[in-house]
Amino acid sequence: MAEFIKNKYIKQETTKYKKIFANLPKDRLKIATGLIERAAFMAASLKELEAAINEKGYTDEYQNGENQRGTKKAPEVEIYNTMVKNYTAAIKALVDMAPEDSGLDPEAAAILNHIAKRK
C-alpha cells in the first residue's frame, strides 16, 4: 500500500472511530483519542499485511546450509497475528470506556462489541 493511500486510510478510520465515540465523556475522550489513532494505524497496517499475505502466501521457504531446507510461517503472517490481537485489545478498550448510556449508535456498538470479543 502506497504511503499516501495508507495515510488516507488511517485518516478515514480515525474519523470513523471519532464519530462512533464522539459522545464519550470528555475525560474518557482524551484517553480514547490515543487509542483511536493507534487502532486506525493498526487497521491500515492490517490491510497492508493482508495484501502482502495474499500476494506472497502464508509460508516462506528457507535453507540453512546445504542440506537443511523447509518451509516456515511468513514474517508477514506473524506480524499480522500479533497486530490483530493488539487491534482487538484496542477496540475492546474503547468499547469498555463507553458507558451503557454513552449514546453510541446501537449498530456501531454491536459491531465493535463483536470485534472486541473475537480472538
Side-chain angles (χ1 to χ4, degrees):
M1 180 182 296
E3 196 65 29
F4 173 76
I5 294 170
K6 184 175 181 179
N7 287 335
K8 185 177 176 181
Y9 187 77
I10 290 170
K11 193 171 190 172
Q12 289 172 345
E13 288 293 296
T14 301
T15 301
K16 178 174 71 175
Y17 292 136
K18 283 184 177 180
K19 283 181 184 176
I20 291 170
F21 293 101
N23 292 333
L24 285 178
K26 290 188 190 303
D27 59 332
R28 290 183 184 187
L29 187 58
K30 287 180 184 179
I31 296 167
T33 300
L35 278 172
I36 287 169
E37 291 169 358
R38 299 298 79 74
F41 172 79
M42 286 187 280
S45 297
L46 288 166
K47 191 172 187 118
E48 187 175 43
L49 286 164
E50 287 168 3
I53 292 167
N54 285 334
E55 182 182 320
K56 297 177 185 177
Y58 295 92
T59 59
D60 276 344
E61 292 187 17
Y62 70 90
Q63 180 175 352
N64 293 338
E66 280 188 38
N67 298 323
Q68 189 177 20
R69 296 177 185 204
T71 58
K72 63 178 183 172
K73 191 182 327 178
E76 293 87 356
V77 172
E78 292 192 31
I79 295 167
Y80 181 86
N81 288 339
T82 300
M83 193 169 293
V84 162
K85 290 176 187 173
N86 293 335
Y87 174 75
T88 302
I91 294 297
K92 182 175 180 355
L94 285 167
V95 170
D96 289 348
M97 278 186 199
E100 290 296 320
D101 61 346
S102 67
L104 280 180
D105 174 86
E107 187 176 331
I111 292 168
L112 291 171
N113 279 319
H114 177 73
I115 292 170
K117 289 178 185 172
R118 258 195 299 169
K119 294 229 174 188

